[in-house]
Structure formats: C-alpha cells, structure tokens
Amino acid sequence: MSSTLTKPDRPTEEQRRAGGNAKLTWRQRRGHWDVKYSPYLYIAPFFLVFAVTGLFPILYTAFISTQDWDLVRNTGSYVGFEHFAWVLQDREFWIALRNTFSIFLFSSVPQIIVATVIAAMLDQNLRAKTFWRMGVLLPYVVAPVAVSLIFSNMFGDKSGLVNTLLGDIGINPILWHTDVIPSHIAIATMVNFRWTGYNALILLAAMQAIPRDLFEAAAIDGAGAMRRFWSVTIPQIRPTMVFVIITSTIGGLQIFDEPRMYDTFGLGGANKQWLTITMYLYNTGWGKFNFGRAAAVAWILFLIIVSISLVNFFLTQRLIASDTVAKKVKPKRVKASKGGK
Amino acid sequence: MARRRSTSISSGRPKWFVYGVLAIVLATAIFPFYWSFLIGSGDQSTIYATNFSWIPGGNFIHNATEVLKNPAVNFWKALGNSVIVSTTTAITTVVLSTLAGFAFAKLRFRGSGVLLVAVIATMAVPVQLGVVPLYILMQKFGWTGSLGAVIIPALVTAFGVFWMTQYLSQSLPTELIEAARVDGCSMIRTFWHVGLTAARPAAAMLFLFTFVTTWNNFFWPFIVLDQNNPTLPVALSLLQANYFVDYSLVLAGVLLATVPLLLLFIFAGKQLVSGIMQGAVKG
C-alpha cells in the first residue's frame, strides 16, 4: 500500500534524480526533520524530569554524604567518610536494620504464600470473577497512613480488638506496642493487608497465561490438584514470582509510612522497637537536621537494597529452576515406564 | 476423586470451599473499614468499654464535623490539595508517558534501545536516595511548602514510559502510523490522532494507577509540605497528633479521608484490576 503512494517527508524518485536533497521543498525538509528529531523531543520530558529530580539528587547525595552540611548557608565542608563511619557505629542504625529485616520477613514471606494461594483460587472458573478480583484489590487503594491508624487501634495494648479477642479465647494480652516481635508482627500485618491482594492479581495474571492443556495433560497423567499446583503452576509462573519477590523486597526495605504512624510520636517506640532504616534516615535528616549523615544513610540503604535484590534474584532463579528440572524429568520417566508396560 | 476434580479445571465450577475462602479474604479486606466506622461512630468511652458492641454508635456525624472544622488538621484544604496533586500528576504522567512510549515503541531513532534500558534502570533507584538533595533543591527554588514541590518530581514516571511502550508496541499496528504519515500528518498529529487513540485503555489504567499512588504518597509530601498546606495523608498524620487520645475522632477522620478513593475504586476499580492483570502478563 505505502509503496504505491508517495510519502510526503521523503523526496520522490524524480526529485532525487533531478538533484537530491538540494531541491527539497521547505515542506519536505520540515518533514524530514520531523521524522529525525521528533522521537528525541518526545522522550525528552522524561529524561529532563529524571535529570533534575532523579539523577542529579543521586549524585548530589553522594557529594553531601561527604560533607558536614550547614543548613543555614546550604553548603558544606568536606569530612570524607566520617558520616558513614558514624552511622555504622551508631547502635540505633543497627537496631533499625534489624527491625527493617524482621518486619520485611514477617510481611513478605506469608504475603507471597497467601497471595499465591489466593491467585490459585481466583484462577478457577469462578462466578462473578471481577467482583472477587476487585474485592481482593480493595485494600490496595487505601492510604498506608490510614491503614496504619486503623491497625494501630486494633492492635492496642490495653483495650485493642485483637487483645480482646485473644482474651476471649483465654490468651493473655500481647503488648503489641511494647514488645519487639509483636510490634513487628503488627506492622507486617498492615503491609500484608495492603499488598497481598495486589500481588495475588499479578500472580493470577501469570497463571492465566499458562496453557490449559498443560493442566489437562497433568490431570490425565493422574496428578491431583495439589500436584498440578506444585508441578505445573509454580514452575510456570517463575518469572512473575521473581518479579513479585524483588519488588516486595525493595518496598519492604524502604518501609516508612506504617511504622511511622504506628504510634503518636513517630519515633519507632520507646526503645526503638519498630524504628526502620527509612525512619532513621528521616529522623537524622529532619529530626536532627544532619543532612550529611542522612545522605550517608541513604547510600547505605541503597547498597543494601541492591545487594539484597541481587541475592534474591539468584536465589529464586536457582531454587525454582532446580525444582522445575527435577520435577520435569521425574514424571516423564514414570510416564515412559508406564507406557512401556 | 482425582479424576473428577481434573475435569473441573477447564469446564466445571469450583467447589463451595473456594468461595468460602474467598469470602473470608473479602471479609478481611472490608473489616478494617467497618472497624473504623464502629470506633468512629462511638465516643471515647466506647473504646475503653470492656465489652464493645458490634453495632455502630450514633456519633459519626458529630465526630466527622469535629474533624472537619478543626483548623489544625486543615481537612478541606488537604482534600483539595490531594485532588490537585493527584489529577495533575496523573494527567501529565499519562500524556508524557504516552508520548515517550509512542517514540520508543513505534519510531526509529538512534540510541532508542539504550535509552529505553536507561528508563527501566531508573526504576530500581529508591526514593530515599535522592530525598536529601531534592529537599535542598526545593529549598533553593523556594518551593518547600508548595504543591509544586510534590508535583514536579512526579510529572512523569519510568513505570509509565515502560508501560506505554509495552502496550503500544503490541497493540498499535505500524501500518496505521504509516497510513497517517502518507496522508500528510506530521509526527505530532500522528501521535495525537493515532497514538493517543490506540493507547486509550492502557492510558486509563495508568491514570488510575498514578492517581492512587500519588493520593496515598506520604514520605515525600510529609518532608516537603508543612501543616498549613498538607495533602490528605499528611493531614491524617496531623489528625493523630491532635487527637492522640481520642481514637473515635481519629478513625472518623481516617474514614472521611478514605471515602473519596473508595468511591473512585467502586466506579473505576474494574479498569484498575484489568490493568494490573494485563501489566503482569506483559511485564
């Protein structure tokens, strides 16, 4: 179709023969520039915004982390790696690191397991599919700050709902705002409340892309529902699983809203029971107004996130990969021998 | 047993058990809202009562007006600000991401591959990393405390660009663009008439997603805005500081702040759900 028509932005054969580009009309030349430079113009806004609000700050953070920053003059004097050394020697930093990891584990591990189960249930031929999917996603639209205020009340130490219910079945009240592990569980619950459904939908999408005849084949071979889930569903959604694990790692290590709003003071509890690294960063930068140290914390956090993501990536790749191979090979052999008989 | 179940994978309906579990999941999703209403409609004594009732009290309107008229919380201002920030951000993100996505997906230019990788790579950078200098930058511009400080960094997102690129490269036939070009459309008109039209479903999803994310965003607005000019999550944090002993007021306020987004979700949630589903398949 296009070969029979003349494109307005290119010179015609006749024009080319008659003298090439030199004789292009203004209109054609404009068309030529349009094709050549427009794409750059279209992607420019993203790179401009990123340069100013992303790239520059990242590099500048590195610079500030080596400075003793003067808030009034908004300049600093060089102190080298002093801030990094200070942060790494600060007890509070290590408590924050411990808390962050603890909350992260309490949230992401059960979350991904439950999300996978919910996804598997949604993956069946349900009535009112959209209704269930929307229901599962509902918590996701609620602001974490709001979730935190609600759950902080439900997990009240003295008269919270959870303790009252526990009391009804004869369990002593748990000090959700005082003890370390209970406070981590309460905060992880908020995270799970908000993200489980979201992750379930992402996993569901991956499950729906699995060719149905794989299940049929497995079923004919005598695999029950559980077996099909482990040997077909899980290996097939591996890339999405890796994606979910990595995004929840990145999100989990940055957690701020929920622990910050868990009590009125926002300092992470009397003994810093639920202080997280991002809270520590905030308190250093905007509580103690030490921007140099805050910048150092930011870099340390960044390095932790990158390394954990990489470890996660390789681990999940390997674990699930070896699983797939083992399970793919074994049933085949069984099948072959059965067929031989 | 196994045989009978096996037929259900492709054709039959799942058992009541599945609906039962999903109903529990749904109840878990709704319960916290009911709980906030329960507390928010009572007064202070209800919370400390040893046997609380599961029936709402009659104080919700009273508590809500109490929150609404508190000058320290600035509720209406916060609501307005959240609407402004979320709408602006969502619109610019959709337009600029579609523009960039159109270029990456359908136009040929030198370095496009490398640049696209660069876009995706920026997604891995945590917000916290740039927060200190960004704050200093905003201070230098004199923008701290103003909505611009929240809007400018969020004008366009890497996720948006990536999302639109993915969508357009799969759903916009290159022939359509060629046809428009042949008909004499300039690039920008081609984008406007062909690109933007084809992008509509993905754009709707991106709009919703950006809107919700911006609406709920707390960390950066909390740093850069002050009490006089908050967004809703920032106002909620003030709410807690103001009524820290009176949870019925805090939770009434939480519910008030949550209603707008719940309404949006009821009307447009279907789109959001299908968008998330779609994104996962392609991503």
Side-chain angles (χ1 to χ4, degrees):
Chain A
M1 178 188 84
S2 53
S3 61
T4 56
L5 290 168
T6 317
K7 287 185 185 175
D9 53 316
R10 289 273 158 78
T12 61
E13 279 303 304
E14 281 158 41
Q15 277 170 329
R16 219 174 261 162
R17 251 176 267 136
N21 288 345
K23 284 204 173 169
L24 285 179
T25 63
W26 161 243
R27 206 182 127 79
Q28 283 168 331
R29 210 175 297 164
R30 203 182 57 184
H32 186 65
W33 288 336
D34 193 16
V35 171
K36 204 168 174 192
Y37 299 113
S38 294
Y40 296 105
L41 213 59
Y42 299 167
I43 61 168
F46 172 80
F47 286 99
L48 265 176
V49 171
F50 180 71
V52 176
T53 66
L55 188 65
F56 164 74
I58 292 167
L59 300 175
Y60 208 51
T61 310
F63 169 72
I64 292 174
S65 68
T66 64
Q67 301 281 313
D68 200 5
W69 200 260
D70 185 325
L71 284 163
V72 183
R73 285 184 295 119
N74 242 345
T75 50
S77 49
Y78 183 77
V79 293
F81 287 96
E82 206 176 84
H83 291 314
F84 286 91
W86 193 94
V87 169
L88 291 175
Q89 278 166 11
D90 187 20
R91 206 177 137 259
E92 242 177 59
F93 169 79
W94 293 102
I95 295 178
L97 191 66
R98 176 202 70 184
N99 293 345
T100 307
F101 271 98
S102 170
I103 294 173
F104 160 64
L105 287 179
F106 277 122
S107 55
S108 51
V109 175
Q111 186 188 122
I112 288 168
I113 295 171
V114 173
T116 314
V117 173
I118 294 177
M121 294 198 152
L122 290 171
D123 192 32
Q124 304 185 45
N125 190 14
L126 290 171
R127 282 175 213 280
K129 282 191 190 81
T130 316
F131 169 77
W132 295 113
R133 286 177 189 173
M134 276 179 70
V136 159
L137 192 66
L138 175 67
Y140 173 73
V141 303
V142 186
V145 172
V147 173
S148 185
L149 289 173
I150 298 172
F151 278 73
S152 167
N153 174 268
M154 296 204 297
F155 282 103
D157 278 7
K158 278 177 199 155
S159 50
L161 170 74
V162 180
N163 273 348
T164 311
L165 293 180
L166 287 178
D168 286 346
I169 54 171
I171 297 175
N172 284 335
I174 293 167
L175 298 176
W176 300 106
H177 281 78
T178 313
D179 291 345
V180 176
I181 297 294
S183 71
H184 294 180
I185 293 176
I187 292 167
T189 309
M190 304 172 196
V191 180
N192 292 336
F193 171 75
R194 203 172 117 82
W195 288 100
T196 305
Y198 177 88
N199 283 330
L201 285 189
I202 289 184
L203 292 170
L204 169 63
M207 287 182 190
Q208 301 227 307
I210 304 173
R212 294 285 129 165
D213 31 336
L214 276 183
F215 290 108
E216 301 286 354
I220 290 166
D221 288 348
M226 280 312 278
R227 186 63 201 263
R228 287 197 302 266
F229 178 73
W230 283 114
S231 308
V232 182
T233 310
I234 296 291
Q236 286 285 322
I237 60 171
R238 192 186 70 192
T240 313
M241 209 66 162
V242 173
F243 170 80
V244 166
I245 291 171
I246 286 181
T247 48
S248 69
T249 309
I250 294 174
L253 296 180
Q254 296 180 40
I255 188 169
F256 176 79
D257 303 9
E258 292 89 349
R260 163 84 205 183
M261 301 302 295
Y262 189 50
D263 75 355
T264 323
F265 311 105
L267 295 171
N271 296 316
K272 310 289 168 203
Q273 302 95 304
W274 64 86
L275 180 82
T276 64
I277 301 186
T278 306
M279 287 172 78
Y280 180 76
L281 189 157
Y282 177 83
N283 295 343
T284 311
W286 285 270
K288 296 173 187 156
F289 288 102
N290 194 329
F291 280 6
R293 268 181 209 161
V297 177
W299 262 98
I300 295 171
L301 176 63
F302 176 58
L303 294 178
I304 292 174
I305 289 178
V306 169
S307 39
I308 299 287
S309 297
L310 287 177
V311 169
N312 244 332
F313 181 75
F314 289 117
L315 261 184
T316 37
Q317 281 285 32
R318 276 200 129 173
L319 275 180
I320 309 183
S322 58
D323 218 27
T324 326
V325 174
K327 280 185 175 152
K328 257 186 193 158
V329 173
K330 276 179 193 164
K332 261 183 197 163
R333 280 194 193 137
V334 174
K335 228 190 297 168
S337 64
K338 265 186 188 168
K341 279 175 192 172
Chain B
M1 187 63 195
R3 287 270 155 71
R4 221 188 326 147
R5 242 192 245 161
S6 71
T7 53
S8 75
I9 23 168
S10 56
S11 54
R13 296 284 182 189
K15 302 268 149 37
W16 61 268
F17 166 75
V18 172
Y19 290 103
V21 174
L22 287 176
I24 292 171
V25 172
L26 192 63
T28 318
I30 294 171
F31 181 75
F33 304 109
Y34 181 68
W35 178 254
S36 349
F37 185 62
L38 215 55
I39 298 289
S41 63
D43 54 41
Q44 223 177 325
S45 64
T46 8
I47 319 165
Y48 296 105
T50 35
N51 278 326
F52 40 56
S53 86
W54 291 96
I55 300 147
N59 275 337
F60 187 76
I61 308 278
H62 170 263
N63 289 343
T65 41
E66 185 80 4
V67 170
L68 291 179
K69 71 183 187 202
N70 185 331
V73 175
N74 254 324
F75 190 91
W76 291 111
K77 178 117 198 205
L79 181 67
N81 282 346
S82 276
V83 170
I84 294 171
V85 169
S86 304
T87 314
T88 326
T89 317
I91 290 175
T92 56
T93 302
V94 166
V95 172
L96 296 179
S97 301
T98 314
L99 200 57
F102 179 71
F104 277 127
K106 291 295 161 184
L107 306 181
R108 279 198 209 143
F109 55 101
R110 200 170 288 181
S112 66
V114 179
L115 289 171
L116 186 60
V117 170
V119 170
I120 295 166
T122 65
M123 281 199 271
V125 180
V127 214
Q128 284 87 347
L129 192 54
V131 145
V132 173
L134 195 57
Y135 182 80
I136 294 172
L137 200 70
M138 292 300 165
Q139 241 177 358
K140 281 198 173 148
F141 292 163
W143 286 352
T144 41
S146 77
L147 295 185
V150 179
I151 295 172
I152 303 289
L155 280 178
V156 57
T157 59
F159 168 77
V161 174
F162 176 67
W163 170 257
M164 289 323 286
T165 305
Q166 288 286 94
Y167 185 82
L168 286 177
S169 65
Q170 292 194 6
S171 61
L172 174 60
T174 313
E175 291 81 28
L176 263 184
I177 300 171
E178 279 170 3
R181 300 286 297 149
V182 168
D183 288 349
C185 270
S186 65
M187 271 299 178
I188 195 73
R189 278 192 62 188
T190 312
F191 164 75
W192 196 256
H193 292 292
V194 180
L196 218 50
T197 314
R200 217 177 277 161
M205 153 62 192
L206 183 60
F207 183 91
L208 283 171
F209 192 81
T210 316
F211 193 93
V212 171
T213 314
T214 318
W215 187 279
N216 291 335
N217 194 13
F218 179 59
F219 188 56
W220 176 242
F222 181 62
I223 287 175
V224 85
L225 295 180
D226 53 46
Q227 308 201 351
N228 307 317
N229 200 25
T231 56
L232 270 181
V234 178
L236 282 179
S237 71
L238 298 170
L239 195 69
Q240 194 193 31
N242 274 286
Y243 296 118
F244 73 99
V245 276
D246 197 341
Y247 254 109
S248 55
L249 289 172
V250 173
L251 290 191
V254 167
L255 213 53
L256 276 184
T258 309
V259 164
L261 221 51
L262 285 185
L263 288 178
L264 178 76
F265 182 68
I266 289 166
F267 288 118
K270 211 171 164 179
Q271 193 106 36
L272 194 61
V273 170
S274 61
I276 286 174
M277 296 276 301
Q278 216 177 35
V281 174
K282 287 176 182 164

